[in-house]
Amino acid sequence: MADRTPHPHDLAAGPRTDGVRVSRELEIPPERAAGLYPLYREVLGSLGSAAAARHLLTEEEFVDELADPRIDKWVATGEADGDFLGMSTLARDLQAVPWASPDFYIERYPEQAARGAIWYLGFTMTLPGAQGAGVFATMLSAMTEAAVAEQVIVAWDMCSANIAGGLNGAITTQLATSAGAISAQLDTQSYFSADFSGGS
Ligand SMILES: CC(C)(COP(=O)(O)OP(=O)(O)OC[C@H]1O[C@@H](n2cnc3c(N)ncnc32)[C@H](O)[C@@H]1OP(=O)(O)O)[C@@H](O)C(=O)NCCC(=O)NCCS
């Protein structure tokens, strides 16, 4: 058989950690979402002092987001016991992302926008006791598989602290090696302050 350049479909979707199951859920009922909120707040709470933009959703926003069928919930659980390990949200409709400007993406990706194929990664979390074991990498592999199958653009934003910590580099490397998807920075937002307090 003649050699050929691998198409993204030919490549593995990425690393998977044994014992971690990832399911794609359209709607998580409010009672279950409310039960997850304290875990979410514990994990994402540290971003409050690390990032100028508010990352932490209120309980009401969190429950609404988990019930919103326009936003996929990729939920990681232990294969053996079904225990919750982590979760990532991936919106399939930019209208479901209040801080994203749909026009910005429509202008850059008109073909994908016309077929509703621009997704937006919201938050991702792994429980503290399960971090560093490939739970997020496994969720990302599952999302990558869907993104390749549905031929979409996936967009996201990230705070400087997580970029400096290497998270964005880990993500873009995994997307490139597992699916041949090249990431590009689309925009930046800077935060300033002027000091009128007269103090030192
Ligand atoms: C970010 C987070 C989801 C990663 O989850 P995880 O399951 O521990 O990650 P994994 O073990 O699957 O690691 C996957 C890759 O990302 C890297 N990585 C994971 N967490 C990282 C972090 N906080 N900073 C930098 N790199 C990180 C790992 O080194 C690994 O890369 P490698 O394969 O090159 O070694 C988890 O640390 C978390 O919940 N953090 C707090 C919430 C947060 O900041 N979320 C992101 C913004 S919404």
PDB file of all heavy atoms in Angstrom, residues 34-64:
ATOM      1  N   ALA A  34     -26.586  20.596  41.971  1.00  0.00           N
ATOM      2  CA  ALA A  34     -26.424  21.272  43.269  1.00  0.00           C
ATOM      3  C   ALA A  34     -25.506  20.452  44.171  1.00  0.00           C
ATOM      4  O   ALA A  34     -24.720  21.007  44.947  1.00  0.00           O
ATOM      5  CB  ALA A  34     -27.794  21.473  43.920  1.00  0.00           C
ATOM      6  N   GLY A  35     -25.557  19.143  44.055  1.00  0.00           N
ATOM      7  CA  GLY A  35     -24.676  18.276  44.840  1.00  0.00           C
ATOM      8  C   GLY A  35     -23.221  18.398  44.408  1.00  0.00           C
ATOM      9  O   GLY A  35     -22.304  18.214  45.223  1.00  0.00           O
ATOM     10  N   LEU A  36     -22.991  18.719  43.130  1.00  0.00           N
ATOM     11  CA  LEU A  36     -21.615  18.846  42.617  1.00  0.00           C
ATOM     12  C   LEU A  36     -21.030  20.231  42.901  1.00  0.00           C
ATOM     13  O   LEU A  36     -19.805  20.410  42.868  1.00  0.00           O
ATOM     14  CB  LEU A  36     -21.589  18.605  41.102  1.00  0.00           C
ATOM     15  CG  LEU A  36     -21.852  17.179  40.623  1.00  0.00           C
ATOM     16  CD1 LEU A  36     -21.976  17.137  39.095  1.00  0.00           C
ATOM     17  CD2 LEU A  36     -20.715  16.255  41.084  1.00  0.00           C
ATOM     18  N   TYR A  37     -21.915  21.207  43.177  1.00  0.00           N
ATOM     19  CA  TYR A  37     -21.427  22.590  43.276  1.00  0.00           C
ATOM     20  C   TYR A  37     -20.340  22.786  44.343  1.00  0.00           C
ATOM     21  O   TYR A  37     -19.331  23.460  44.073  1.00  0.00           O
ATOM     22  CB  TYR A  37     -22.589  23.572  43.494  1.00  0.00           C
ATOM     23  CG  TYR A  37     -22.109  24.999  43.437  1.00  0.00           C
ATOM     24  CD1 TYR A  37     -21.738  25.584  42.223  1.00  0.00           C
ATOM     25  CD2 TYR A  37     -21.971  25.763  44.605  1.00  0.00           C
ATOM     26  CE1 TYR A  37     -21.250  26.871  42.161  1.00  0.00           C
ATOM     27  CE2 TYR A  37     -21.484  27.056  44.549  1.00  0.00           C
ATOM     28  CZ  TYR A  37     -21.130  27.613  43.330  1.00  0.00           C
ATOM     29  OH  TYR A  37     -20.641  28.901  43.275  1.00  0.00           O
ATOM     30  N   PRO A  38     -20.477  22.206  45.555  1.00  0.00           N
ATOM     31  CA  PRO A  38     -19.404  22.409  46.546  1.00  0.00           C
ATOM     32  C   PRO A  38     -18.049  21.900  46.062  1.00  0.00           C
ATOM     33  O   PRO A  38     -17.012  22.509  46.347  1.00  0.00           O
ATOM     34  CB  PRO A  38     -19.889  21.600  47.761  1.00  0.00           C
ATOM     35  CG  PRO A  38     -21.372  21.517  47.604  1.00  0.00           C
ATOM     36  CD  PRO A  38     -21.619  21.456  46.125  1.00  0.00           C
ATOM     37  N   LEU A  39     -18.036  20.802  45.305  1.00  0.00           N
ATOM     38  CA  LEU A  39     -16.774  20.279  44.763  1.00  0.00           C
ATOM     39  C   LEU A  39     -16.210  21.254  43.733  1.00  0.00           C
ATOM     40  O   LEU A  39     -15.021  21.575  43.724  1.00  0.00           O
ATOM     41  CB  LEU A  39     -17.002  18.915  44.094  1.00  0.00           C
ATOM     42  CG  LEU A  39     -17.458  17.777  44.998  1.00  0.00           C
ATOM     43  CD1 LEU A  39     -17.824  16.548  44.165  1.00  0.00           C
ATOM     44  CD2 LEU A  39     -16.358  17.435  45.996  1.00  0.00           C
ATOM     45  N   TYR A  40     -17.098  21.727  42.865  1.00  0.00           N
ATOM     46  CA  TYR A  40     -16.705  22.699  41.837  1.00  0.00           C
ATOM     47  C   TYR A  40     -16.104  23.947  42.492  1.00  0.00           C
ATOM     48  O   TYR A  40     -15.033  24.429  42.092  1.00  0.00           O
ATOM     49  CB  TYR A  40     -17.947  23.048  41.001  1.00  0.00           C
ATOM     50  CG  TYR A  40     -17.822  24.313  40.192  1.00  0.00           C
ATOM     51  CD1 TYR A  40     -17.192  24.319  38.942  1.00  0.00           C
ATOM     52  CD2 TYR A  40     -18.350  25.522  40.673  1.00  0.00           C
ATOM     53  CE1 TYR A  40     -17.072  25.488  38.213  1.00  0.00           C
ATOM     54  CE2 TYR A  40     -18.240  26.686  39.940  1.00  0.00           C
ATOM     55  CZ  TYR A  40     -17.599  26.671  38.710  1.00  0.00           C
ATOM     56  OH  TYR A  40     -17.490  27.831  37.989  1.00  0.00           O
ATOM     57  N   ARG A  41     -16.789  24.438  43.542  1.00  0.00           N
ATOM     58  CA  ARG A  41     -16.323  25.661  44.211  1.00  0.00           C
ATOM     59  C   ARG A  41     -14.956  25.429  44.866  1.00  0.00           C
ATOM     60  O   ARG A  41     -14.083  26.288  44.837  1.00  0.00           O
ATOM     61  CB  ARG A  41     -17.357  26.104  45.254  1.00  0.00           C
ATOM     62  CG  ARG A  41     -17.140  27.534  45.734  1.00  0.00           C
ATOM     63  CD  ARG A  41     -18.219  27.937  46.712  1.00  0.00           C
ATOM     64  NE  ARG A  41     -18.451  26.897  47.701  1.00  0.00           N
ATOM     65  CZ  ARG A  41     -19.580  26.713  48.355  1.00  0.00           C
ATOM     66  NH1 ARG A  41     -20.604  27.504  48.144  1.00  0.00           N
ATOM     67  NH2 ARG A  41     -19.704  25.749  49.248  1.00  0.00           N
ATOM     68  N   GLU A  42     -14.781  24.251  45.430  1.00  0.00           N
ATOM     69  CA  GLU A  42     -13.501  23.925  46.068  1.00  0.00           C
ATOM     70  C   GLU A  42     -12.365  23.910  45.030  1.00  0.00           C
ATOM     71  O   GLU A  42     -11.290  24.442  45.267  1.00  0.00           O
ATOM     72  CB  GLU A  42     -13.625  22.542  46.740  1.00  0.00           C
ATOM     73  CG  GLU A  42     -12.362  22.090  47.462  1.00  0.00           C
ATOM     74  CD  GLU A  42     -12.425  20.612  47.879  1.00  0.00           C
ATOM     75  OE1 GLU A  42     -13.525  20.032  47.900  1.00  0.00           O
ATOM     76  OE2 GLU A  42     -11.347  20.054  48.152  1.00  0.00           O
ATOM     77  N   VAL A  43     -12.629  23.321  43.865  1.00  0.00           N
ATOM     78  CA  VAL A  43     -11.566  23.163  42.865  1.00  0.00           C
ATOM     79  C   VAL A  43     -11.275  24.473  42.127  1.00  0.00           C
ATOM     80  O   VAL A  43     -10.123  24.840  41.916  1.00  0.00           O
ATOM     81  CB  VAL A  43     -11.936  22.051  41.847  1.00  0.00           C
ATOM     82  CG1 VAL A  43     -10.860  21.926  40.773  1.00  0.00           C
ATOM     83  CG2 VAL A  43     -12.109  20.723  42.558  1.00  0.00           C
ATOM     84  N   LEU A  44     -12.330  25.173  41.729  1.00  0.00           N
ATOM     85  CA  LEU A  44     -12.147  26.397  40.926  1.00  0.00           C
ATOM     86  C   LEU A  44     -11.907  27.631  41.787  1.00  0.00           C
ATOM     87  O   LEU A  44     -11.504  28.677  41.278  1.00  0.00           O
ATOM     88  CB  LEU A  44     -13.378  26.640  40.041  1.00  0.00           C
ATOM     89  CG  LEU A  44     -13.418  26.045  38.624  1.00  0.00           C
ATOM     90  CD1 LEU A  44     -12.428  26.701  37.706  1.00  0.00           C
ATOM     91  CD2 LEU A  44     -13.292  24.558  38.598  1.00  0.00           C
ATOM     92  N   GLY A  45     -12.151  27.507  43.105  1.00  0.00           N
ATOM     93  CA  GLY A  45     -12.084  28.678  43.995  1.00  0.00           C
ATOM     94  C   GLY A  45     -10.744  29.369  43.946  1.00  0.00           C
ATOM     95  O   GLY A  45     -10.673  30.601  44.050  1.00  0.00           O
ATOM     96  N   SER A  46      -9.668  28.617  43.749  1.00  0.00           N
ATOM     97  CA  SER A  46      -8.331  29.221  43.783  1.00  0.00           C
ATOM     98  C   SER A  46      -8.120  30.206  42.641  1.00  0.00           C
ATOM     99  O   SER A  46      -7.249  31.078  42.707  1.00  0.00           O
ATOM    100  CB  SER A  46      -7.256  28.134  43.725  1.00  0.00           C
ATOM    101  OG  SER A  46      -7.379  27.423  42.517  1.00  0.00           O
ATOM    102  N   LEU A  47      -8.921  30.088  41.573  1.00  0.00           N
ATOM    103  CA  LEU A  47      -8.757  31.024  40.452  1.00  0.00           C
ATOM    104  C   LEU A  47      -9.248  32.419  40.818  1.00  0.00           C
ATOM    105  O   LEU A  47      -8.920  33.388  40.148  1.00  0.00           O
ATOM    106  CB  LEU A  47      -9.504  30.508  39.213  1.00  0.00           C
ATOM    107  CG  LEU A  47      -8.918  29.260  38.539  1.00  0.00           C
ATOM    108  CD1 LEU A  47      -9.762  28.868  37.338  1.00  0.00           C
ATOM    109  CD2 LEU A  47      -7.474  29.509  38.108  1.00  0.00           C
ATOM    110  N   GLY A  48     -10.018  32.509  41.904  1.00  0.00           N
ATOM    111  CA  GLY A  48     -10.563  33.809  42.329  1.00  0.00           C
ATOM    112  C   GLY A  48      -9.471  34.836  42.552  1.00  0.00           C
ATOM    113  O   GLY A  48      -9.619  36.002  42.161  1.00  0.00           O
ATOM    114  N   SER A  49      -8.386  34.448  43.189  1.00  0.00           N
ATOM    115  CA  SER A  49      -7.306  35.408  43.437  1.00  0.00           C
ATOM    116  C   SER A  49      -6.230  35.337  42.359  1.00  0.00           C
ATOM    117  O   SER A  49      -5.341  36.183  42.318  1.00  0.00           O
ATOM    118  CB  SER A  49      -6.678  35.147  44.816  1.00  0.00           C
ATOM    119  OG  SER A  49      -6.194  33.818  44.870  1.00  0.00           O
ATOM    120  N   ALA A  50      -6.323  34.368  41.451  1.00  0.00           N
ATOM    121  CA  ALA A  50      -5.282  34.215  40.417  1.00  0.00           C
ATOM    122  C   ALA A  50      -5.638  34.945  39.126  1.00  0.00           C
ATOM    123  O   ALA A  50      -4.756  35.294  38.350  1.00  0.00           O
ATOM    124  CB  ALA A  50      -5.057  32.735  40.118  1.00  0.00           C
ATOM    125  N   ALA A  51      -6.938  35.177  38.890  1.00  0.00           N
ATOM    126  CA  ALA A  51      -7.371  35.756  37.605  1.00  0.00           C
ATOM    127  C   ALA A  51      -8.263  36.967  37.844  1.00  0.00           C
ATOM    128  O   ALA A  51      -9.097  36.973  38.752  1.00  0.00           O
ATOM    129  CB  ALA A  51      -8.136  34.704  36.799  1.00  0.00           C
ATOM    130  N   ALA A  52      -8.087  38.016  36.996  1.00  0.00           N
ATOM    131  CA  ALA A  52      -8.895  39.232  37.151  1.00  0.00           C
ATOM    132  C   ALA A  52     -10.347  38.990  36.750  1.00  0.00           C
ATOM    133  O   ALA A  52     -11.270  39.598  37.308  1.00  0.00           O
ATOM    134  CB  ALA A  52      -8.293  40.359  36.312  1.00  0.00           C
ATOM    135  N   ALA A  53     -10.563  38.139  35.765  1.00  0.00           N
ATOM    136  CA  ALA A  53     -11.936  37.843  35.346  1.00  0.00           C
ATOM    137  C   ALA A  53     -12.526  36.809  36.304  1.00  0.00           C
ATOM    138  O   ALA A  53     -11.817  35.938  36.809  1.00  0.00           O
ATOM    139  CB  ALA A  53     -11.942  37.287  33.925  1.00  0.00           C
ATOM    140  N   ARG A  54     -13.819  36.918  36.525  1.00  0.00           N
ATOM    141  CA  ARG A  54     -14.463  35.946  37.421  1.00  0.00           C
ATOM    142  C   ARG A  54     -14.625  34.625  36.685  1.00  0.00           C
ATOM    143  O   ARG A  54     -15.248  34.563  35.624  1.00  0.00           O
ATOM    144  CB  ARG A  54     -15.842  36.469  37.868  1.00  0.00           C
ATOM    145  CG  ARG A  54     -16.580  35.485  38.750  1.00  0.00           C
ATOM    146  CD  ARG A  54     -17.841  36.105  39.314  1.00  0.00           C
ATOM    147  NE  ARG A  54     -18.855  36.357  38.303  1.00  0.00           N
ATOM    148  CZ  ARG A  54     -19.841  35.515  38.002  1.00  0.00           C
ATOM    149  NH1 ARG A  54     -19.954  34.366  38.623  1.00  0.00           N
ATOM    150  NH2 ARG A  54     -20.725  35.828  37.071  1.00  0.00           N
ATOM    151  N   HIS A  55     -14.069  33.578  37.235  1.00  0.00           N
ATOM    152  CA  HIS A  55     -14.225  32.255  36.655  1.00  0.00           C
ATOM    153  C   HIS A  55     -15.299  31.453  37.374  1.00  0.00           C
ATOM    154  O   HIS A  55     -15.966  30.617  36.790  1.00  0.00           O
ATOM    155  CB  HIS A  55     -12.906  31.476  36.718  1.00  0.00           C
ATOM    156  CG  HIS A  55     -11.908  31.917  35.691  1.00  0.00           C
ATOM    157  ND1 HIS A  55     -11.280  33.134  35.736  1.00  0.00           N
ATOM    158  CD2 HIS A  55     -11.453  31.310  34.570  1.00  0.00           C
ATOM    159  CE1 HIS A  55     -10.468  33.250  34.698  1.00  0.00           C
ATOM    160  NE2 HIS A  55     -10.563  32.159  33.971  1.00  0.00           N
ATOM    161  N   LEU A  56     -15.403  31.686  38.674  1.00  0.00           N
ATOM    162  CA  LEU A  56     -16.294  30.858  39.487  1.00  0.00           C
ATOM    163  C   LEU A  56     -17.755  31.217  39.231  1.00  0.00           C
ATOM    164  O   LEU A  56     -18.176  32.350  39.450  1.00  0.00           O
ATOM    165  CB  LEU A  56     -15.954  31.072  40.965  1.00  0.00           C
ATOM    166  CG  LEU A  56     -16.495  30.015  41.916  1.00  0.00           C
ATOM    167  CD1 LEU A  56     -15.775  28.683  41.709  1.00  0.00           C
ATOM    168  CD2 LEU A  56     -16.337  30.477  43.358  1.00  0.00           C
ATOM    169  N   LEU A  57     -18.513  30.255  38.755  1.00  0.00           N
ATOM    170  CA  LEU A  57     -19.948  30.468  38.554  1.00  0.00           C
ATOM    171  C   LEU A  57     -20.650  30.444  39.897  1.00  0.00           C
ATOM    172  O   LEU A  57     -20.230  29.731  40.817  1.00  0.00           O
ATOM    173  CB  LEU A  57     -20.520  29.346  37.676  1.00  0.00           C
ATOM    174  CG  LEU A  57     -19.912  29.160  36.274  1.00  0.00           C
ATOM    175  CD1 LEU A  57     -20.451  27.882  35.629  1.00  0.00           C
ATOM    176  CD2 LEU A  57     -20.216  30.365  35.399  1.00  0.00           C
ATOM    177  N   THR A  58     -21.716  31.226  40.004  1.00  0.00           N
ATOM    178  CA  THR A  58     -22.553  31.108  41.197  1.00  0.00           C
ATOM    179  C   THR A  58     -23.261  29.754  41.123  1.00  0.00           C
ATOM    180  O   THR A  58     -23.325  29.112  40.053  1.00  0.00           O
ATOM    181  CB  THR A  58     -23.614  32.217  41.253  1.00  0.00           C
ATOM    182  OG1 THR A  58     -24.493  32.041  40.128  1.00  0.00           O
ATOM    183  CG2 THR A  58     -22.990  33.602  41.195  1.00  0.00           C
ATOM    184  N   GLU A  59     -23.843  29.340  42.231  1.00  0.00           N
ATOM    185  CA  GLU A  59     -24.538  28.051  42.220  1.00  0.00           C
ATOM    186  C   GLU A  59     -25.669  28.070  41.191  1.00  0.00           C
ATOM    187  O   GLU A  59     -25.876  27.097  40.461  1.00  0.00           O
ATOM    188  CB  GLU A  59     -25.083  27.711  43.611  1.00  0.00           C
ATOM    189  CG  GLU A  59     -25.807  26.369  43.612  1.00  0.00           C
ATOM    190  CD  GLU A  59     -26.085  25.820  44.998  1.00  0.00           C
ATOM    191  OE1 GLU A  59     -25.506  26.340  45.972  1.00  0.00           O
ATOM    192  OE2 GLU A  59     -26.874  24.868  45.093  1.00  0.00           O
ATOM    193  N   GLU A  60     -26.354  29.204  41.094  1.00  0.00           N
ATOM    194  CA  GLU A  60     -27.464  29.301  40.134  1.00  0.00           C
ATOM    195  C   GLU A  60     -26.940  29.164  38.691  1.00  0.00           C
ATOM    196  O   GLU A  60     -27.507  28.434  37.875  1.00  0.00           O
ATOM    197  CB  GLU A  60     -28.162  30.643  40.327  1.00  0.00           C
ATOM    198  CG  GLU A  60     -29.476  30.730  39.607  1.00  0.00           C
ATOM    199  CD  GLU A  60     -30.102  32.126  39.731  1.00  0.00           C
ATOM    200  OE1 GLU A  60     -29.581  32.969  40.490  1.00  0.00           O
ATOM    201  OE2 GLU A  60     -31.116  32.358  39.049  1.00  0.00           O
ATOM    202  N   GLU A  61     -25.845  29.872  38.378  1.00  0.00           N
ATOM    203  CA  GLU A  61     -25.254  29.781  37.032  1.00  0.00           C
ATOM    204  C   GLU A  61     -24.779  28.356  36.736  1.00  0.00           C
ATOM    205  O   GLU A  61     -24.953  27.842  35.626  1.00  0.00           O
ATOM    206  CB  GLU A  61     -24.067  30.749  36.913  1.00  0.00           C
ATOM    207  CG  GLU A  61     -24.443  32.215  36.906  1.00  0.00           C
ATOM    208  CD  GLU A  61     -23.253  33.152  37.114  1.00  0.00           C
ATOM    209  OE1 GLU A  61     -22.229  32.727  37.713  1.00  0.00           O
ATOM    210  OE2 GLU A  61     -23.333  34.314  36.699  1.00  0.00           O
ATOM    211  N   PHE A  62     -24.177  27.744  37.754  1.00  0.00           N
ATOM    212  CA  PHE A  62     -23.645  26.381  37.595  1.00  0.00           C
ATOM    213  C   PHE A  62     -24.784  25.393  37.300  1.00  0.00           C
ATOM    214  O   PHE A  62     -24.703  24.594  36.364  1.00  0.00           O
ATOM    215  CB  PHE A  62     -22.912  26.011  38.891  1.00  0.00           C
ATOM    216  CG  PHE A  62     -22.277  24.648  38.911  1.00  0.00           C
ATOM    217  CD1 PHE A  62     -21.042  24.422  38.309  1.00  0.00           C
ATOM    218  CD2 PHE A  62     -22.894  23.588  39.567  1.00  0.00           C
ATOM    219  CE1 PHE A  62     -20.442  23.171  38.354  1.00  0.00           C
ATOM    220  CE2 PHE A  62     -22.292  22.329  39.610  1.00  0.00           C
ATOM    221  CZ  PHE A  62     -21.070  22.120  39.008  1.00  0.00           C
ATOM    222  N   VAL A  63     -25.838  25.495  38.076  1.00  0.00           N
ATOM    223  CA  VAL A  63     -26.991  24.590  37.893  1.00  0.00           C
ATOM    224  C   VAL A  63     -27.616  24.819  36.516  1.00  0.00           C
ATOM    225  O   VAL A  63     -27.942  23.858  35.796  1.00  0.00           O
ATOM    226  CB  VAL A  63     -28.014  24.795  39.040  1.00  0.00           C
ATOM    227  CG1 VAL A  63     -29.333  24.090  38.730  1.00  0.00           C
ATOM    228  CG2 VAL A  63     -27.440  24.291  40.360  1.00  0.00           C
ATOM    229  N   ASP A  64     -27.745  26.079  36.113  1.00  0.00           N
ATOM    230  CA  ASP A  64     -28.316  26.404  34.797  1.00  0.00           C
ATOM    231  C   ASP A  64     -27.443  25.838  33.674  1.00  0.00           C
ATOM    232  O   ASP A  64     -27.937  25.285  32.697  1.00  0.00           O
ATOM    233  CB  ASP A  64     -28.426  27.922  34.600  1.00  0.00           C
ATOM    234  CG  ASP A  64     -29.592  28.501  35.388  1.00  0.00           C
ATOM    235  OD1 ASP A  64     -30.397  27.710  35.926  1.00  0.00           O
ATOM    236  OD2 ASP A  64     -29.683  29.743  35.474  1.00  0.00           O
TER     237      ASP A  64
END
